[in-house]
Amino acid sequence: MSEMPAEEIRIVEFTEDDAEEISALFKRVWPLCTDYPEEWRKHRMYSPEQIIEEIHEGFHYFGARLEGKIVGVYKAKITEKGLYGEHQTVSPQCGRSGLASAMYIQFAEYGKSHGCKRNYCNVLVGQKAVERLMRKFGFRPWGEPFEQAKGMLVQCYERPLD
């Protein structure tokens, strides 16, 4: 995927029919995410059945395709606090393509269109590229950093949507 403005990348909502392919992407990408503890990475490699179960629980899976294949995904759920996003996964072939930015733009649009007051997500403390994206898209730290998993410090970020 060449460098392109994030607005030109089409983010779509995936369905249960995409669970197998989303699972395959997780299993390709998460072993490479060595900033995270190994146990957490294993936990993020969902099976197709886990993805379908989450869809039934109210999670929405969004992302993009390149040449017909899913190359990026994140999931979101409307909560009493706003639209919560997590599990952003981008194929290494699409690094620096604008795909992650396109997902953050769509994350805001989806939240606004569903009456949410904010977007929020957890970011691994010290993950400079994601912290830059947080600033770029108007997110700010929300609360204090906390241990989301043993040995894994994260900071929650929020972005008001009004």
Side-chain angles (χ1 to χ4, degrees):
M1 190 171 234
S2 60
E3 193 73 28
M4 61 173 44
E7 297 81 15
E8 293 180 19
I9 298 171
R10 203 176 102 140
I11 304 301
V12 298
E13 185 166 359
F14 297 126
T15 69
E16 292 179 26
D17 293 340
D18 300 303
E20 193 83 38
E21 196 175 350
I22 293 167
S23 175
L25 179 66
F26 288 160
K27 289 174 181 166
R28 254 191 340 270
V29 174
W30 279 93
L32 308 174
C33 300
T34 56
D35 290 351
Y36 294 87
E38 185 175 358
E39 196 55 42
W40 183 258
R41 288 183 277 146
K42 286 179 182 175
H43 176 69
R44 303 315 271 175
M45 293 186 267
Y46 290 5
S47 69
E49 295 76 22
Q50 287 172 295
I51 293 164
I52 290 168
E53 184 178 318
E54 283 201 336
I55 290 170
H56 291 179
E57 292 170 359
F59 276 96
H60 299 267
Y61 280 77
F62 299 101
R65 295 180 184 276
L66 175 64
E67 297 169 358
K69 302 240 185 278
I70 295 175
V71 292
V73 67
Y74 82 94
K75 66 182 188 183
K77 185 174 189 177
I78 296 173
T79 73
E80 69 284 346
K81 297 176 186 175
L83 182 62
Y84 175 65
E86 67 171 350
H87 213 149
Q88 188 176 57
T89 306
V90 175
S91 174
Q93 78 187 80
C94 295
R96 306 178 73 83
S97 66
L99 177 53
S101 291
M103 287 192 268
Y104 281 109
I105 291 166
Q106 185 272 343
F107 184 38
E109 290 168 353
Y110 189 85
K112 286 177 190 173
S113 72
H114 286 79
C116 296
K117 300 279 186 241
R118 72 172 54 88
N119 285 148
Y120 67 106
C121 55
N122 296 325
V123 173
L124 189 64
V125 170
Q127 203 169 42
K128 299 298 179 207
V130 181
E131 290 171 348
R132 276 193 303 277
L133 279 170
M134 293 292 99
R135 286 190 299 277
K136 176 181 176 181
F137 289 105
F139 284 84
R140 60 181 180 236
W142 189 24
E144 295 300 316
F146 64 96
E147 198 173 61
Q148 189 171 15
K150 186 162 175 50
M152 191 177 97
L153 196 62
V154 299
Q155 171 66 58
C156 187
Y157 282 83
E158 71 163 339
R159 168 178 51 190
L161 293 176
D162 39 10

